[in-house]
Amino acid sequence: MGGIIADNSSAPQELRWESIAELAAQVRSGKTKAADLVEKSLAQIAKLEEYKAIIATTAERARERAKQIDAKVANGEDPGRLAGVPFIAKDNFLVFGADTTAASNILKGFDAPYQSAVIKKLEAEGAICVAKANLDAFAHGASTENSDFFTTLNPHDKTRVPGGSSGGSAASVALGIAPFALGTDTGGSTRQPGSFVGIVGYKPTYGLMSRSGIVAMASSLDTVGTFARNIDDASLVIDVMAGKDELDSTTIDRDTMGYADVQGDLTGKKIGIIKEYMGEGLADDVREQIEQAIAKMREAGAEVTEVSLPSISLALAVYYILCPAEVSSNLSRFDGQRYGYAYADAANLDESYTKSREIGFGKEAKRRIMIGTYVLSSGYYDAYYKKAQTVRTKLIQEAEAAFKQVDFLIGPVAPTTAFKIGENANNPLAMYLADVMTVAINLIGVPAVSIPCGVSGENGLPVGLQLIAPQHKDRALLELAKATEEIL
Amino acid sequence: MTKLTRDDVLRLAQLARISLNDDEATEFTDELSAILQYVEQLSGVDVSGLKPTNQVTGLTNVMRTDEVKDYGYAPSDLLKNVPKTEANQLKVKRMIG
């Protein structure tokens, strides 16, 4: 399990947690109290407040749930496979015990009337949510700098971003606040922060986990992300969350084998390096680590070749049409009438809408709503939205062709290591480029995971390796990731 | 190459029901133009014979039984975040003049 957090990191000494399976086993046997695990996590949150990973704790409810789980153990009942294991939820998941804000001013004070489907599944197996993590407001961003509240600091270097949009969740796991955390991944928001802080960040096949009870960003792309220190931990959590949900009609069937207890072997695995991702624009220090990882995979018996996806460089343009279009539609519900901030002095209904939205939304949400409104508007729809949807088909076909040649694809997660706070803040287009190697995966709908593969020779910051599998091959991807993790 | 004018931006804002202050209108005029110019690289891509992708699951017409279920939510729970209510309904300003 060691070696997941970079040894030369400047992150504060990580709090050591046993593996998730071991923690749950200890709680179930009565050897460890769920209450103690919750206190350990809450103490770490208080100690590491300066990193601003957390928006609010759910301390009271977490303590109450721990008490119930410990009582179950005392009564000889089974508290579940994740008994007493603390976790952090990105603040766009509806969770009881604290407000759900999506790090936006417009949702400040929103008290969830029900919980996300995946939170319910985790709770049914005894896991305990202890806090809500920071994000770019509404998950619009790649650094947490678009949070309406504050920017989270990278655990390895406080002058740098932890990535985004799920930066608070990623930093929480890297800081040892909890053994796992939930994020969302619409264009890279779990893989990229996983890479920036040196942990595992998993994005499932679209539809594998229910989106019910998660603040929607771009519904045809949104997935539930998992952060953990290693593949064993991640796969257990994924196994608990995966599967159909009647409240989300886009959900798909589980793998009959499930997702836990994976074992992998690289021997004979056909792996394609995405040629276009290794070209111009990739920083040398990232390239060096990726190439070393590939060499090790070859030594372990993998057959690694180069594969071309000729249109993949168009993915970012496709994404920045489809995503804002869906964002503008999803955010239309924030109108000052149903929930969220409402402008009190409006003279009429229209002013109530326009002022509530002007004051409630941050700049990036407004930017995306405006772009989305433009590309969906009559006269421009065909040229932008429909064209992007059709190029999306082209990307899917190219990926399908690639997966006829190889079992998996690999490449970097992001073109650089974690960038400096403020570096891209005044240039939205430059910030969008941080997603250039992750968005295609969401458009295609396949699963992908970022695993740590070394640290930059220039700045000592973590570098992530992206492993990608065909649709529905999440279990095979976890097996590959497990085997790769073992040799890196 | 699309270059939005300030009037275009204000018109978009009105369609999206967001009022903008002067600074925002100025800023967005440049930023949105730059973003649109970037995404316009798609205009030259040959997509003949391809259909648009709306969703990737391959699922069609997902149905569930049309029956009343008790999810355990009281109306007061579901309405607790609503700015103004009356008789378990949302209260909004007059719509028809």
Side-chain angles (χ1 to χ4, degrees), chain A residues 110-114 206 246-247 249-251 314 316-317 336-339 346 348-350 354-355 357-358 363 366-367 369-370 373-374 384 387 389-390 392-394 397 443 471, chain B residues 2 4 9 12-13 16-17 19 24 27 31-32 36 38-43 45-47 50-54 56-57 59 62 64 69 71 73 77 80-83 90 92-93 95:
Chain A
F110 184 85
D111 182 12
Y114 58 92
Y206 178 84
E246 68 167 22
L247 295 179
S249 61
T250 62
T251 46
L314 301 170
L316 197 68
Q337 318 302 317
R338 304 159 212 230
Y339 39 72
N348 53 44
L349 186 63
D350 202 55
T354 56
K355 292 301 272 187
R357 288 161 70 78
E358 178 194 351
K363 204 162 261 180
K366 287 179 189 168
R367 205 176 272 134
I369 291 170
M370 303 272 286
T373 304
Y374 183 83
Y384 290 93
K387 184 68 187 260
Q389 283 187 308
T390 315
R392 186 177 186 180
T393 307
K394 199 177 175 83
Q397 289 184 350
L443 294 167
Q471 206 174 15
Chain B
T2 299
L4 296 180
V9 168
L12 270 181
R17 295 293 183 276
S19 46
E24 281 177 325
E27 213 174 311
E31 286 177 0
L32 301 189
L36 288 172
Y38 178 79
V39 301
E40 275 164 15
Q41 60 181 287
L42 298 187
S43 66
V45 180
D46 178 16
V47 291
L50 296 179
K51 287 188 174 147
T53 295
N54 293 302
V56 293
T57 61
L59 301 167
V62 177
R64 61 185 152 91
K69 278 192 187 171
Y71 286 94
Y73 310 136
D77 283 345
K80 67 185 170 183
N81 293 294
V82 179
L90 278 68
V92 300
K93 290 201 179 282
M95 286 196 188

XYZ file of all heavy atoms in Angstrom, chain A residues 110-114 206 246-247 249-251 314 316-317 336-339 346 348-350 354-355 357-358 363 366-367 369-370 373-374 384 387 389-390 392-394 397 443 471, chain B residues 2 4 9 12-13 16-17 19 24 27 31-32 36 38-43 45-47 50-54 56-57 59 62 64 69 71 73 77 80-83 90 92-93 95:
724
model
N -28.622 25.735 1.232
C -29.530 24.693 0.725
C -29.421 23.446 1.606
O -28.361 22.844 1.734
C -29.198 24.338 -0.734
C -30.161 23.336 -1.321
C -31.362 23.753 -1.882
C -29.893 21.973 -1.278
C -32.258 22.837 -2.399
C -30.788 21.047 -1.798
C -31.971 21.482 -2.355
N -30.539 23.077 2.183
C -30.593 21.951 3.124
C -31.240 20.767 2.384
O -32.444 20.775 2.134
C -31.450 22.403 4.323
C -31.540 21.344 5.391
O -30.790 20.359 5.342
O -32.406 21.500 6.289
N -30.430 19.784 2.017
C -30.915 18.703 1.143
C -32.122 17.985 1.738
O -32.067 17.535 2.876
C -29.794 17.703 0.889
N -33.204 17.870 0.969
C -34.375 17.153 1.473
C -34.243 15.639 1.332
O -35.007 14.896 1.929
C -35.523 17.670 0.586
C -34.887 18.206 -0.636
C -33.452 18.512 -0.334
N -33.301 15.187 0.548
C -33.044 13.746 0.402
C -31.569 13.588 0.068
O -30.890 14.581 -0.212
C -33.934 13.123 -0.676
C -33.787 13.735 -2.052
C -32.887 13.211 -2.964
C -34.533 14.851 -2.428
C -32.731 13.774 -4.216
C -34.380 15.417 -3.691
C -33.476 14.872 -4.574
O -33.320 15.440 -5.805
N -19.949 5.834 -18.367
C -21.123 6.681 -18.161
C -22.329 5.794 -17.833
O -22.593 4.826 -18.543
C -21.418 7.511 -19.420
C -22.661 8.363 -19.255
C -22.587 9.598 -18.630
C -23.900 7.893 -19.663
C -23.718 10.364 -18.439
C -25.044 8.654 -19.470
C -24.949 9.886 -18.862
O -26.074 10.636 -18.659
N -33.582 3.249 -10.360
C -34.781 3.657 -11.098
C -34.973 5.174 -11.097
O -35.761 5.698 -11.874
C -36.028 2.952 -10.571
C -36.432 3.352 -9.184
C -37.846 2.866 -8.834
O -38.317 1.908 -9.458
O -38.442 3.472 -7.934
N -34.235 5.881 -10.242
C -34.343 7.342 -10.251
C -33.369 8.000 -11.237
O -33.322 9.220 -11.344
C -34.127 7.891 -8.836
C -35.190 7.473 -7.817
C -34.871 8.060 -6.447
C -36.589 7.902 -8.255
N -32.578 7.154 -15.157
C -32.880 6.231 -16.265
C -31.693 6.028 -17.200
O -31.780 5.273 -18.153
C -34.086 6.736 -17.056
O -33.782 8.008 -17.585
N -30.564 6.683 -16.941
C -29.371 6.432 -17.758
C -28.458 5.391 -17.120
O -27.368 5.136 -17.625
C -28.547 7.717 -17.986
O -28.097 8.205 -16.716
C -29.363 8.786 -18.676
N -28.855 4.803 -15.998
C -27.958 3.845 -15.336
C -27.971 2.499 -16.056
O -28.956 2.119 -16.678
C -28.311 3.659 -13.850
O -29.728 3.480 -13.711
C -27.881 4.846 -13.038
N -9.902 17.467 -31.506
C -11.126 18.274 -31.610
C -12.006 18.147 -30.368
O -13.002 18.868 -30.220
C -11.954 17.836 -32.827
C -11.283 17.926 -34.193
C -12.149 17.226 -35.254
C -11.058 19.387 -34.570
N -11.793 18.916 -27.262
C -11.986 20.060 -26.367
C -12.995 21.060 -26.945
O -13.831 21.598 -26.224
C -10.653 20.754 -26.083
C -10.676 21.676 -24.860
C -10.825 20.888 -23.562
C -9.417 22.526 -24.794
N -12.930 21.256 -28.257
C -13.899 22.159 -28.899
C -15.311 21.575 -28.821
O -16.280 22.297 -28.562
C -13.497 22.416 -30.345
N -34.440 31.738 -8.606
C -34.900 32.540 -7.473
C -36.310 32.211 -7.026
O -36.846 32.884 -6.137
N -36.927 31.213 -7.638
C -38.304 30.873 -7.266
C -38.382 29.528 -6.521
O -39.156 29.375 -5.599
C -39.214 30.767 -8.504
C -38.989 31.846 -9.551
C -39.176 33.251 -9.020
O -40.117 33.547 -8.282
N -38.254 34.149 -9.371
N -37.577 28.550 -6.958
C -37.730 27.188 -6.419
C -36.866 26.945 -5.189
O -37.305 26.372 -4.211
C -37.351 26.157 -7.477
C -38.138 26.328 -8.749
C -37.368 25.659 -9.866
N -37.589 26.348 -11.108
C -37.948 25.761 -12.237
N -38.096 24.471 -12.287
N -38.138 26.466 -13.322
N -35.581 27.324 -5.287
C -34.674 27.212 -4.152
C -33.457 28.055 -4.457
O -33.302 28.549 -5.562
C -34.279 25.762 -3.861
C -34.041 24.896 -5.071
C -32.906 25.076 -5.870
C -34.943 23.910 -5.421
C -32.690 24.277 -6.984
C -34.732 23.111 -6.536
C -33.601 23.303 -7.318
O -33.396 22.512 -8.415
N -37.329 42.543 -5.946
C -37.704 42.591 -7.363
C -39.079 43.219 -7.541
O -40.006 42.962 -6.772
C -37.709 41.180 -7.942
N -40.845 42.843 -10.372
C -41.684 41.910 -11.117
C -40.966 40.579 -11.271
O -39.816 40.433 -10.848
C -42.041 42.502 -12.485
C -40.783 42.942 -13.225
O -39.793 42.228 -13.244
N -40.824 44.152 -13.791
N -41.644 39.613 -11.893
C -41.082 38.266 -12.002
C -39.770 38.269 -12.782
O -38.796 37.634 -12.391
C -42.097 37.338 -12.668
C -41.701 35.863 -12.717
C -41.562 35.276 -11.315
C -42.706 35.056 -13.529
N -39.744 39.005 -13.893
C -38.544 39.011 -14.717
C -37.336 39.549 -13.950
O -36.243 38.994 -14.023
C -38.783 39.833 -15.988
C -37.798 39.422 -17.077
O -37.757 38.220 -17.390
O -37.058 40.289 -17.565
N -33.706 37.785 -13.173
C -32.430 38.314 -13.665
C -31.519 38.778 -12.524
O -30.312 38.578 -12.590
C -32.648 39.483 -14.659
O -33.434 40.479 -14.010
C -33.365 39.018 -15.911
N -32.107 39.344 -11.466
C -31.268 39.802 -10.349
C -30.816 38.623 -9.482
O -29.677 38.598 -9.009
C -32.016 40.828 -9.487
C -32.281 42.154 -10.168
C -31.016 42.847 -10.616
C -30.415 43.740 -9.534
N -29.266 44.517 -10.092
N -30.186 35.671 -10.472
C -29.128 34.989 -11.205
C -27.869 35.844 -11.318
O -26.753 35.322 -11.253
C -29.647 34.569 -12.590
C -30.637 33.406 -12.493
C -31.509 33.254 -13.719
N -30.822 32.797 -14.917
C -30.472 31.531 -15.168
N -30.717 30.587 -14.275
N -29.883 31.199 -16.288
N -28.029 37.150 -11.474
C -26.861 38.037 -11.538
C -26.063 37.964 -10.234
O -24.847 37.819 -10.236
C -27.282 39.501 -11.774
C -26.081 40.442 -11.787
C -26.431 41.926 -11.671
O -27.630 42.270 -11.748
O -25.505 42.732 -11.487
N -18.748 34.107 -11.893
C -18.414 34.487 -13.263
C -18.391 33.295 -14.228
O -18.882 33.384 -15.350
C -17.053 35.197 -13.272
C -16.887 36.106 -14.453
C -15.775 37.099 -14.242
C -16.305 38.444 -13.796
N -15.255 39.443 -13.577
N -21.821 32.070 -15.184
C -22.421 33.016 -16.150
C -21.822 32.813 -17.537
O -22.534 32.792 -18.534
C -22.189 34.455 -15.709
C -23.032 34.873 -14.517
C -22.715 36.309 -14.122
C -23.399 36.634 -12.802
N -22.914 37.888 -12.218
N -20.495 32.679 -17.582
C -19.802 32.490 -18.859
C -20.378 31.266 -19.578
O -20.677 31.301 -20.765
C -18.325 32.278 -18.538
C -17.364 32.620 -19.611
C -15.934 32.444 -19.084
N -15.400 33.617 -18.434
C -14.744 33.635 -17.260
N -14.564 32.508 -16.585
N -14.296 34.753 -16.768
N -23.255 29.683 -19.048
C -24.672 29.859 -19.396
C -24.785 30.667 -20.690
O -25.572 30.350 -21.583
C -25.433 30.564 -18.247
C -25.546 29.627 -17.039
C -26.817 31.029 -18.708
C -26.055 30.310 -15.775
N -23.957 31.692 -20.804
C -24.008 32.562 -21.997
C -23.564 31.804 -23.248
O -24.210 31.896 -24.297
C -23.104 33.782 -21.787
C -23.462 34.594 -20.560
S -24.681 35.855 -20.879
C -23.669 37.013 -21.753
N -26.251 29.324 -24.108
C -27.418 29.992 -24.684
C -27.149 30.336 -26.145
O -28.005 30.171 -27.008
C -27.734 31.267 -23.877
O -27.906 30.895 -22.508
C -28.995 31.947 -24.373
N -25.919 30.779 -26.413
C -25.556 31.147 -27.794
C -25.617 29.929 -28.718
O -26.260 29.971 -29.766
C -24.151 31.761 -27.812
C -23.717 32.234 -29.171
C -24.111 33.483 -29.648
C -22.916 31.440 -29.990
C -23.721 33.921 -30.896
C -22.522 31.868 -31.246
C -22.921 33.108 -31.690
O -22.537 33.547 -32.931
N -23.289 24.958 -34.340
C -22.507 24.673 -33.131
C -22.945 23.368 -32.457
O -22.207 22.385 -32.449
C -22.624 25.822 -32.123
C -21.934 27.080 -32.556
C -22.616 28.078 -33.238
C -20.579 27.279 -32.282
C -21.975 29.233 -33.647
C -19.928 28.430 -32.677
C -20.630 29.410 -33.353
O -19.987 30.554 -33.753
N -23.417 20.254 -34.776
C -22.109 19.910 -35.342
C -21.258 19.213 -34.284
O -20.617 18.194 -34.546
C -21.413 21.190 -35.847
C -20.085 20.946 -36.549
C -20.308 20.233 -37.874
C -19.030 19.810 -38.570
N -18.608 20.695 -39.633
N -22.282 17.566 -31.667
C -22.819 16.226 -31.406
C -22.397 15.240 -32.490
O -22.202 14.055 -32.228
C -24.359 16.279 -31.389
C -24.948 16.856 -30.122
C -26.454 16.697 -30.160
O -27.092 17.083 -31.128
N -27.015 16.109 -29.123
N -22.273 15.736 -33.715
C -21.891 14.855 -34.822
C -20.398 14.543 -34.781
O -19.983 13.416 -35.042
C -22.298 15.490 -36.169
O -23.634 15.990 -36.047
C -22.268 14.477 -37.284
N -18.872 14.368 -32.088
C -18.834 13.415 -30.969
C -18.964 11.980 -31.506
O -18.260 11.080 -31.067
C -19.971 13.728 -29.973
C -19.925 12.879 -28.716
C -21.026 13.283 -27.719
N -20.876 12.543 -26.462
C -21.668 12.670 -25.405
N -22.670 13.536 -25.434
N -21.470 11.972 -24.305
N -19.838 11.789 -32.460
C -19.993 10.468 -33.087
C -18.683 10.020 -33.728
O -18.278 8.863 -33.613
C -21.106 10.523 -34.158
O -22.285 11.057 -33.556
C -21.402 9.149 -34.729
N -18.023 10.956 -34.393
C -16.728 10.645 -35.035
C -15.705 10.185 -33.990
O -14.985 9.205 -34.199
C -16.240 11.914 -35.755
C -15.190 11.724 -36.819
C -14.893 13.092 -37.450
C -13.771 13.043 -38.461
N -14.189 12.599 -39.800
N -16.516 6.672 -32.887
C -16.140 5.673 -33.897
C -14.636 5.438 -33.934
O -14.184 4.298 -34.078
C -16.647 6.117 -35.273
C -18.160 6.010 -35.381
C -18.683 6.350 -36.764
O -17.951 6.847 -37.618
N -19.963 6.094 -36.983
N -16.786 12.339 -23.525
C -17.589 12.399 -24.751
C -17.834 10.998 -25.297
O -18.904 10.691 -25.805
C -16.870 13.259 -25.807
C -16.745 14.741 -25.456
C -15.752 15.435 -26.388
C -18.108 15.429 -25.537
N -16.122 0.800 -23.221
C -17.361 0.943 -22.452
C -17.679 -0.373 -21.731
O -17.520 -1.449 -22.315
C -18.475 1.289 -23.437
C -19.620 2.052 -22.815
C -20.636 2.500 -23.868
O -20.631 2.009 -24.991
N -21.494 3.431 -23.507
N -16.371 34.438 -35.479
C -17.396 35.168 -34.741
C -16.771 36.189 -33.808
O -15.872 35.867 -33.036
C -18.249 34.194 -33.909
O -18.874 33.293 -34.808
C -19.296 34.937 -33.093
N -18.355 38.749 -31.191
C -19.586 39.247 -30.591
C -19.454 40.733 -30.294
O -18.370 41.216 -29.960
C -19.884 38.507 -29.287
C -20.171 37.002 -29.367
C -20.430 36.452 -27.978
C -21.364 36.717 -30.270
N -23.919 40.435 -26.569
C -23.744 39.891 -25.221
C -24.928 40.267 -24.336
O -25.466 39.433 -23.600
C -22.404 40.368 -24.608
C -22.328 40.072 -23.123
C -21.244 39.705 -25.337
N -27.849 38.129 -25.336
C -27.694 36.766 -24.804
C -28.046 36.725 -23.325
O -28.733 35.815 -22.850
C -26.238 36.318 -24.934
C -25.788 35.610 -26.199
C -24.311 35.254 -26.051
C -26.609 34.350 -26.445
N -27.541 37.717 -22.599
C -27.795 37.777 -21.155
C -29.297 37.864 -20.897
O -29.824 37.231 -19.985
C -27.071 38.974 -20.543
N -30.834 34.544 -21.383
C -30.480 33.641 -20.283
C -31.005 34.146 -18.943
O -30.755 33.535 -17.911
C -28.962 33.456 -20.224
N -31.723 35.273 -18.957
C -32.278 35.866 -17.732
C -31.197 36.121 -16.675
O -31.302 35.711 -15.536
C -33.383 34.981 -17.139
C -34.625 34.856 -18.018
C -35.364 36.193 -18.124
N -36.597 36.100 -18.893
C -36.660 36.172 -20.232
N -35.562 36.360 -20.945
N -37.815 36.084 -20.847
N -28.932 39.543 -15.484
C -28.544 40.922 -15.754
C -27.039 41.044 -15.549
O -26.462 40.375 -14.703
C -29.323 41.898 -14.867
O -29.352 41.458 -13.537
N -18.920 43.468 -16.515
C -19.120 42.099 -16.983
C -19.431 42.073 -18.470
O -18.938 41.212 -19.210
C -20.259 41.432 -16.206
C -19.848 40.951 -14.824
C -21.030 40.359 -14.045
O -22.166 40.848 -14.193
O -20.802 39.404 -13.294
N -16.166 42.580 -20.329
C -15.306 41.407 -20.197
C -15.825 40.242 -21.046
O -15.071 39.590 -21.762
C -15.303 41.005 -18.721
C -14.014 40.417 -18.228
C -14.096 40.188 -16.718
O -14.504 41.116 -15.972
O -13.813 39.071 -16.310
N -14.174 37.712 -23.975
C -13.961 36.304 -23.589
C -14.829 35.347 -24.388
O -14.359 34.305 -24.850
C -14.267 36.122 -22.095
C -13.200 36.693 -21.196
C -13.577 36.569 -19.730
O -14.678 36.037 -19.440
O -12.780 36.990 -18.896
N -16.093 35.681 -24.542
C -16.989 34.777 -25.260
C -16.600 34.704 -26.731
O -16.677 33.642 -27.351
C -18.454 35.201 -25.096
C -19.002 35.267 -23.666
C -20.515 35.473 -23.683
C -18.668 34.030 -22.857
N -15.718 31.217 -28.599
C -16.432 30.812 -29.815
C -15.461 30.625 -30.984
O -15.593 29.687 -31.769
C -17.510 31.843 -30.175
C -18.726 31.830 -29.228
C -19.646 33.007 -29.519
C -19.491 30.512 -29.343
N -12.441 29.639 -30.735
C -11.760 28.362 -30.502
C -12.625 27.181 -30.950
O -12.158 26.287 -31.665
C -11.390 28.208 -29.015
C -10.738 26.876 -28.731
C -9.394 26.666 -29.029
C -11.475 25.817 -28.204
C -8.798 25.434 -28.812
C -10.892 24.583 -27.981
C -9.548 24.403 -28.286
O -8.968 23.174 -28.078
N -13.897 27.176 -30.563
C -14.734 26.019 -30.887
C -15.113 25.988 -32.370
O -15.530 24.947 -32.883
C -16.007 25.919 -29.996
C -15.622 25.833 -28.526
C -16.972 27.056 -30.244
N -14.927 27.104 -33.061
C -15.260 27.122 -34.488
C -14.321 26.282 -35.350
O -14.572 26.083 -36.533
C -15.309 28.568 -35.003
C -16.674 29.187 -34.750
C -16.683 30.698 -34.881
O -15.714 31.260 -35.430
O -17.656 31.313 -34.411
N -13.269 25.723 -34.754
C -12.403 24.805 -35.509
C -13.199 23.593 -36.004
O -12.760 22.881 -36.891
C -11.206 24.360 -34.667
C -11.583 23.632 -33.398
C -10.352 23.227 -32.590
O -9.632 22.324 -32.941
N -10.108 23.937 -31.491
N -14.384 23.363 -35.416
C -15.200 22.233 -35.864
C -15.853 22.489 -37.217
O -16.286 21.556 -37.889
C -16.311 21.932 -34.844
C -15.885 21.519 -33.438
C -17.122 21.109 -32.646
C -14.878 20.382 -33.470
N -15.927 23.760 -37.614
C -16.720 24.072 -38.807
C -16.187 23.371 -40.055
O -16.946 22.994 -40.927
C -16.806 25.589 -39.011
O -15.519 26.076 -39.298
N -14.741 20.404 -40.176
C -14.613 18.950 -40.030
C -15.663 18.240 -40.876
O -16.845 18.582 -40.841
C -14.777 18.537 -38.546
C -14.640 17.025 -38.401
C -13.777 19.268 -37.677
N -15.215 17.240 -41.624
C -16.137 16.481 -42.479
C -16.877 15.428 -41.643
O -16.264 14.530 -41.086
C -15.330 15.796 -43.593
C -16.238 14.957 -44.491
O -17.473 15.150 -44.442
O -15.701 14.117 -45.232
N -18.173 15.592 -41.549
C -18.977 14.634 -40.773
C -20.053 14.005 -41.658
O -21.074 13.555 -41.159
C -19.630 15.297 -39.536
C -18.590 15.660 -38.504
C -20.444 16.527 -39.936
N -22.545 10.932 -40.878
C -22.605 10.661 -39.431
C -23.845 11.293 -38.814
O -24.271 12.372 -39.219
C -21.360 11.207 -38.731
C -20.019 10.583 -39.123
C -18.893 11.249 -38.349
C -20.021 9.074 -38.852
N -24.376 10.594 -37.802
C -25.522 11.145 -37.078
C -25.046 11.744 -35.764
O -24.059 11.282 -35.188
C -26.513 10.016 -36.777
C -27.262 9.550 -38.001
C -28.356 8.581 -37.609
C -29.196 8.247 -38.837
N -29.704 6.892 -38.812
N -25.773 12.747 -35.253
C -25.373 13.314 -33.961
C -25.560 12.317 -32.815
O -26.460 11.483 -32.871
C -26.300 14.517 -33.781
C -27.286 14.490 -34.875
C -26.937 13.413 -35.837
N -24.701 12.407 -31.803
C -24.829 11.571 -30.605
C -25.516 12.381 -29.513
O -25.014 13.424 -29.104
C -23.441 11.129 -30.104
O -22.852 10.293 -31.097
C -23.531 10.364 -28.787
N -26.671 11.906 -29.059
C -27.350 12.570 -27.944
C -26.946 11.989 -26.618
O -26.897 12.668 -25.604
C -28.869 12.430 -28.087
C -29.383 13.207 -29.278
O -29.189 14.393 -29.363
N -30.011 12.502 -30.207
N -24.805 8.212 -24.770
C -23.876 7.135 -25.105
C -24.251 5.773 -24.540
O -23.535 4.802 -24.746
C -22.448 7.480 -24.619
C -21.890 8.661 -25.390
C -22.414 7.729 -23.126
N -25.347 5.667 -23.808
C -25.633 4.391 -23.131
C -26.202 3.333 -24.076
O -26.115 2.144 -23.785
C -26.670 4.574 -22.005
O -27.893 5.056 -22.589
C -26.193 5.559 -20.967
N -29.217 2.886 -24.369
C -30.525 2.548 -23.809
C -31.611 3.311 -24.569
O -31.391 4.445 -24.990
C -30.598 2.938 -22.321
C -29.583 2.293 -21.387
C -29.579 3.007 -20.028
C -29.889 0.819 -21.200
N -36.431 3.896 -21.523
C -36.366 3.277 -20.200
C -37.646 3.617 -19.432
O -37.971 4.784 -19.257
C -35.140 3.785 -19.426
C -35.094 3.209 -18.025
C -33.862 3.439 -20.183
N -40.489 2.818 -16.125
C -40.768 2.125 -14.876
C -42.273 2.118 -14.659
O -43.004 2.878 -15.302
C -40.011 2.721 -13.699
C -40.315 4.148 -13.379
C -39.386 4.617 -12.247
N -39.135 6.034 -12.285
C -39.865 6.922 -11.637
N -40.873 6.548 -10.894
N -39.583 8.203 -11.722
N -45.450 5.790 -5.310
C -44.570 5.166 -4.320
C -44.341 6.153 -3.192
O -44.267 7.360 -3.427
C -43.221 4.831 -4.954
C -43.224 3.543 -5.724
C -41.799 3.154 -6.050
C -41.784 1.954 -6.960
N -40.444 1.672 -7.459
N -41.767 7.649 -1.030
C -40.331 7.792 -0.818
C -40.032 8.347 0.579
O -38.891 8.603 0.922
C -39.712 8.680 -1.902
C -39.600 7.979 -3.233
C -40.582 8.102 -4.203
C -38.498 7.171 -3.509
C -40.473 7.446 -5.417
C -38.378 6.508 -4.718
C -39.369 6.646 -5.677
O -39.251 5.995 -6.872
N -40.864 11.293 1.796
C -40.624 12.734 1.916
C -41.929 13.451 2.221
O -42.893 13.334 1.476
C -40.063 13.318 0.620
C -38.889 12.586 0.032
C -38.824 12.327 -1.331
C -37.829 12.173 0.843
C -37.735 11.655 -1.875
C -36.749 11.507 0.302
C -36.710 11.246 -1.058
O -35.649 10.590 -1.599
N -40.712 18.865 3.822
C -39.282 18.631 3.573
C -38.905 19.151 2.193
O -37.880 19.805 2.007
C -38.959 17.136 3.588
C -38.906 16.576 4.994
O -38.831 17.388 5.940
O -38.962 15.338 5.134
N -38.851 23.003 1.947
C -38.155 23.827 2.952
C -37.140 24.789 2.360
O -36.769 25.765 2.994
C -37.503 22.936 4.008
C -36.364 22.088 3.511
C -35.859 21.154 4.599
C -34.899 20.149 3.996
N -34.421 19.181 4.966
N -36.682 24.541 1.141
C -35.708 25.449 0.524
C -36.346 26.478 -0.412
O -35.642 27.254 -1.057
C -34.676 24.641 -0.267
C -33.794 23.794 0.637
O -33.015 24.325 1.425
N -33.944 22.475 0.559
N -37.643 26.454 -0.516
C -38.324 27.372 -1.442
C -38.416 28.759 -0.804
O -38.810 28.883 0.350
C -39.736 26.853 -1.783
C -40.454 27.807 -2.731
C -39.653 25.455 -2.387
N -38.005 29.798 -1.557
C -38.013 31.147 -0.963
C -39.382 31.555 -0.415
O -39.481 32.078 0.688
C -37.594 32.045 -2.128
C -36.857 31.168 -3.074
C -37.431 29.795 -2.922
N -45.384 26.822 -4.471
C -44.435 27.913 -4.655
C -45.206 29.196 -4.925
O -46.154 29.195 -5.711
C -43.540 27.658 -5.886
C -42.329 26.745 -5.730
C -42.748 25.313 -5.482
C -41.444 26.841 -6.951
N -44.921 32.837 -6.524
C -44.089 33.691 -7.376
C -44.848 34.971 -7.703
O -46.050 35.075 -7.459
C -43.701 32.972 -8.692
C -42.928 31.700 -8.402
C -44.917 32.672 -9.551
N -44.090 35.916 -8.269
C -44.740 37.170 -8.641
C -45.679 36.951 -9.825
O -45.514 36.014 -10.593
C -43.680 38.216 -8.980
C -42.925 38.658 -7.747
C -42.263 40.002 -7.949
C -41.525 40.446 -6.695
N -42.438 40.984 -5.662
N -47.480 36.586 -13.151
C -46.891 36.275 -14.458
C -47.600 36.980 -15.593
O -46.990 37.349 -16.587
C -46.973 34.787 -14.734
C -45.986 34.009 -13.938
S -45.824 32.380 -14.623
C -44.808 31.649 -13.361
